Amino acid sequence: MANYRRVKIEGGIYFFTLVTHYRKPIFSVDKAANLFLEAINHVKNFHPFSTLAFCILPDHIHLLWEMPIDDVDYSMRISEIKKRFSKGFIEEFGNPNLPNTSQQRRGETGIWQRRFWEHYVRDEEDLNNHIDYIHYNPVKHGLVMRVNQWRGSSFFDFVKQGFYDVNWGQSEPKILDPHLFGE
């Protein structure tokens, strides 16, 4: 079994990419995106963290979290969110992927890729690059022509806070190599 090393710093800010199994576009339906946000809020009630930014795309999700000063167990939180979402999704829509033998042994539903991408945000420039990447992602994937046409992200929260102009993202921002974002 592979030994994955993750940076774990209490109170740190982390960028995550979660991908659906076989990149099935299960979040193309608004109800699925709402179920995911409900799962986040449910887990957050029991295991606090702050969601700084997010974007829900048809087959993957980007999250930017700040962990509590005394806790760094983001893996448990992601696992709980995936479980809660999967249960609700299967109840609502059925399972789009029957779990294979390995997934069945592990108690997995076959909705998610097993692992997730994680990046520890090092400084303010890194943070701003990740925020831009998250919000520009629907344009990058050709889902919309302009960032403000995508409702499944925290972009409009950032507009309200004055971080962005509502027309931000008319051209591709200076961002890091996409491979650094887990896509």
Side-chain angles (χ1 to χ4, degrees):
M1 179 180 209
N3 183 15
Y4 290 91
R5 293 187 180 175
R6 299 195 183 272
V7 174
K8 295 194 173 190
I9 298 174
E10 292 178 346
I13 296 175
Y14 294 88
F15 169 83
F16 304 103
T17 300
L18 287 65
V19 180
T20 62
H21 195 60
Y22 297 125
R23 286 206 172 254
K24 287 258 184 166
I26 63 175
F27 294 107
S28 296
V29 179
D30 287 345
K31 176 70 174 169
N34 291 335
L35 284 170
F36 186 79
L37 294 173
E38 289 170 12
I40 285 178
N41 288 328
H42 177 82
V43 172
K44 194 183 287 190
N45 286 332
F46 297 96
H47 308 284
F49 59 92
S50 296
T51 302
L52 304 180
F54 72 91
C55 187
I56 301 174
L57 295 119
D59 63 358
H60 68 285
I61 294 173
H62 295 299
L63 301 165
L64 191 64
W65 287 355
E66 184 171 10
M67 296 300 295
I69 197 68
D70 60 344
D71 192 352
V72 73
D73 197 357
Y74 51 76
S75 293
M76 174 271 296
R77 287 165 172 85
I78 288 174
S79 176
E80 291 300 312
I81 289 166
K82 284 180 168 182
K83 281 184 216 172
R84 184 161 187 90
F85 168 79
S86 297
K87 183 176 186 278
F89 185 87
I90 291 169
E91 287 172 1
E92 184 73 26
F93 300 105
N95 195 336
N97 300 315
L98 293 178
N100 61 35
T101 306
S102 173
Q103 290 168 325
Q104 289 174 2
R105 273 196 313 268
R106 295 171 187 263
E108 297 171 357
T109 60
I111 298 228
W112 295 101
Q113 280 188 8
R114 185 166 290 150
R115 293 181 179 82
F116 58 90
W117 173 265
E118 159 266 322
H119 168 80
Y120 173 70
V121 175
R122 299 173 309 273
D123 55 31
E124 189 171 347
E125 180 181 5
D126 195 24
L127 174 65
N128 290 333
N129 283 338
H130 280 80
I131 291 169
D132 288 352
Y133 183 84
I134 286 169
H135 294 128
Y136 193 76
N137 213 245
V139 176
K140 175 185 162 285
H141 286 284
L143 300 169
V144 291
M145 296 296 292
R146 297 184 352 229
V147 174
N148 63 15
Q149 294 172 322
W150 191 258
R151 297 289 173 193
S153 80
S154 54
F155 173 73
F156 288 100
D157 296 332
F158 280 75
V159 169
K160 286 179 193 169
Q161 296 169 21
F163 189 87
Y164 292 126
D165 176 85
V166 72
N167 292 313
W168 176 86
Q170 299 289 7
S171 59
E172 187 169 352
K174 181 185 151 237
I175 56 176
L176 301 175
D177 179 351
H179 293 98
L180 300 174
F181 295 94
E183 289 198 51

